[in-house]
Amino acid sequence: MKPELPTTQRAYPLRLTGDDPRWRDRLWRTHLAVNRGAAAFGDWLLTLRGGLDHLLAEHPIKEKTSHRAPNVDERRDRRILLALSWLTVEVGYAGPHVVPTDRVVETFREILLNRGVPEAEVREWQTDCADSLRATIKDGAVWVNRSAAFDAATVQLGPSLNREEVWDLLLPFFGSKTGYLEPLLLEKDEAGSEEKAKDLVQKAGQWLSSRFGTGHGADFTRLAAVYNAMTVAVAKATGPMEREGFFVQMSEALEEYTPSAATPEGILSLISGPGYKSATRNLVKAFGTQPILSADDLAKFLKTTAEDAEASRAKAGGKGHREWSDRLVAEVEAVCGFTYLGSLKSEQPNNGEAPEREAARHSEFAVMLDHAARRVSLAHTWAKRAEAERR
């Protein structure tokens, strides 16, 4: 008896059967729509990478207690990853920004000069990146000038899209600017990479909600003020400290926001919100069960509230439409054949209220964006791997 071979699950819509043949056609059209939508999202992600600022090569490296400038090797590695974000190797690209193989390095030089990089520094970039840009690419692939694609997009969309704004969509999938620029260590265990990729669909959904959702979301301006008040209050505290005394002190600091902050529940009511997580909230819950708070507890609370205040200030005013994100989703809608927002159930009512719509196709668009992000993230990882192996 032959041993049973392990099976690999795949989606093969055309192999499914049923009594009514019409559902097979519908399923196949859905399959095409999702893949076309994912391709449109992916094209935009690649173009946004093409807009990454060359100054990121000098982005400070955070260490335990300070920041420092990158060293020579770190700067070289970053320049290479940026170069391979501006000039990408793609299969099936049919747009206007194809670069002949014998002009890739020269195009790279033009990109830097057009960005105002001095000639002497351009030569340094060429020294660092030329070997990577001359690497042999697989049959059927072409070099694409995504930097030029980004420049064209900014002309079409105006000031809503700039080199910093690209992180609005890139950051959820790459974690941080530093993480995007970090080289891959071949000896490092990457067993968790697949687990890490599983939450990309959640991040895709969160981005769609922040840009196109109709809810108000968390009030980050108010959250920042609350965290700041807590930071100021705990900075005056010394440990060890009784739990009741700590919450009384918080109550006095937060009196203008709520009269019930003398309890863990009162504070938690101030730092909660839809779709919002908080490290401070976890500490407040823990402190509610501790009779005595040590000096280390208070120091940790001080650090955490300060960090949450800074993060909330950065997110304040971040929810809502952008001209470029509206254009992005409109292009996805055009190729996949259905809209993100549900269809209107009726015309505008006479009383001036917004027209009633069917439920938004949020999960469908989140899946398409997730698929696109996985492909682009994987391509970026393989570029890092290729550089590590080349070195």
Side-chain angles (χ1 to χ4, degrees):
M1 180 177 178
K2 293 183 179 179
E4 184 176 348
L5 296 176
T7 59
T8 302
Q9 293 186 359
R10 292 286 187 267
Y12 296 125
L14 290 181
R15 294 185 61 185
L16 300 175
T17 59
D19 295 333
D20 186 347
R22 290 177 298 178
W23 70 265
R24 296 181 65 199
D25 177 63
R26 292 168 186 162
L27 183 59
W28 178 243
R29 284 188 283 116
T30 300
H31 174 78
L32 289 179
V34 169
N35 278 279
R36 288 168 180 166
F41 269 125
D43 189 70
W44 264 99
L45 285 169
L46 291 170
T47 293
L48 294 179
R49 288 168 77 242
L52 292 175
D53 199 326
H54 61 279
L55 296 177
L56 286 168
E58 306 296 334
H59 190 70
I61 294 176
K62 185 177 181 180
E63 297 188 327
K64 288 185 178 180
T65 59
S66 63
H67 292 72
R68 64 170 176 84
N71 59 37
V72 173
D73 290 340
E74 290 165 339
R75 185 179 295 109
R76 175 205 61 207
D77 292 340
R78 288 177 165 193
R79 285 174 171 175
I80 291 172
L81 288 174
L82 287 170
L84 296 175
S85 299
W86 304 335
L87 290 160
T88 58
V89 178
E90 302 177 33
V91 176
Y93 178 83
H97 302 294
V98 173
V99 180
T101 304
D102 60 356
R103 278 194 47 80
V104 174
V105 175
E106 182 59 30
T107 301
F108 176 60
R109 172 183 169 80
E110 292 170 359
I111 289 172
L112 292 168
L113 291 173
N114 289 338
R115 291 174 180 230
V117 179
E119 176 65 37
E121 190 175 338
V122 170
R123 289 196 292 269
E124 292 178 7
W125 278 80
Q126 284 185 256
T127 299
D128 288 338
C129 305
D131 287 346
S132 300
L133 296 173
R134 292 192 182 105
T136 302
I137 61 176
K138 62 182 178 180
D139 293 341
V142 295
W143 286 95
V144 180
N145 187 346
R146 286 290 174 177
S147 180
F150 177 82
D151 293 342
T154 60
V155 171
Q156 291 177 330
L157 301 178
S160 74
L161 182 60
N162 55 51
R163 300 200 190 284
E164 185 60 31
E165 186 71 10
V166 301
W167 290 106
D168 180 71
L169 185 52
L170 295 181
L171 213 57
F173 304 117
F174 291 100
S176 68
K177 296 177 182 180
T178 301
Y180 184 92
L181 296 167
E182 282 179 348
L184 182 71
L185 301 178
L186 292 178
E187 66 274 13
K188 184 178 179 180
D189 180 19
E190 297 178 56
S193 60
E194 182 62 26
E195 289 296 319
K196 189 176 180 181
K198 288 181 180 178
D199 65 353
L200 290 184
V201 69
Q202 295 177 327
K203 293 177 179 179
Q206 289 167 0
W207 182 82
L208 288 166
S209 294
S210 70
R211 287 289 153 261
F212 307 100
T214 56
H216 296 293
D219 185 347
F220 287 106
T221 299
R222 187 170 184 273
L223 284 168
V226 170
Y227 285 129
N228 188 64
M230 295 167 73
T231 302
V232 172
V234 79
K236 302 175 183 177
T238 57
M241 187 178 191
E242 291 185 353
R243 173 183 59 202
E244 289 75 11
F246 170 81
F247 284 107
V248 167
Q249 192 161 327
M250 287 297 106
S251 177
E252 294 173 353
L254 301 173
E255 186 175 5
E256 65 177 291
Y257 301 103
T258 178
S260 60
T263 64
E265 292 75 18
I267 295 179
L268 291 173
S269 69
L270 291 176
I271 54 176
S272 299
Y276 170 68
K277 295 181 180 180
S278 162
T280 300
R281 190 164 29 185
N282 296 333
L283 285 180
V284 170
K285 291 177 181 178
F287 287 3
T289 64
Q290 294 178 214
I292 301 295
L293 306 179
S294 68
D296 287 342
D297 288 332
L298 297 176
K300 184 176 182 180
F301 191 80
L302 175 66
K303 179 176 181 292
T304 303
T305 55
E307 290 175 348
D308 280 343
E310 182 180 358
S312 295
R313 282 192 292 270
K315 293 179 179 178
K319 187 177 176 66
H321 290 261
R322 304 285 190 273
E323 185 180 1
W324 68 267
S325 59
D326 287 351
R327 172 69 173 274
L328 185 159
V329 167
E331 290 186 5
V332 175
E333 290 173 336
V335 299
C336 70
F338 54 90
T339 59
Y340 176 77
L341 293 177
S343 302
L344 291 175
K345 288 185 177 180
S346 61
E347 297 298 324
Q348 179 81 19
N350 295 327
N351 59 10
E353 295 181 358
E356 188 179 2
R357 288 183 176 273
E358 296 175 352
R361 299 178 180 90
H362 179 79
S363 59
E364 291 87 341
F365 275 74
V367 167
M368 290 188 289
L369 178 53
D370 161 68
H371 286 4
R374 286 171 187 265
R375 294 172 187 173
V376 175
S377 178
L378 183 62
H380 188 61
T381 298
W382 276 105
K384 289 184 177 185
R385 180 182 295 278
E387 286 307 310
E389 292 175 345
R390 196 185 340 270
R391 190 156 300 124

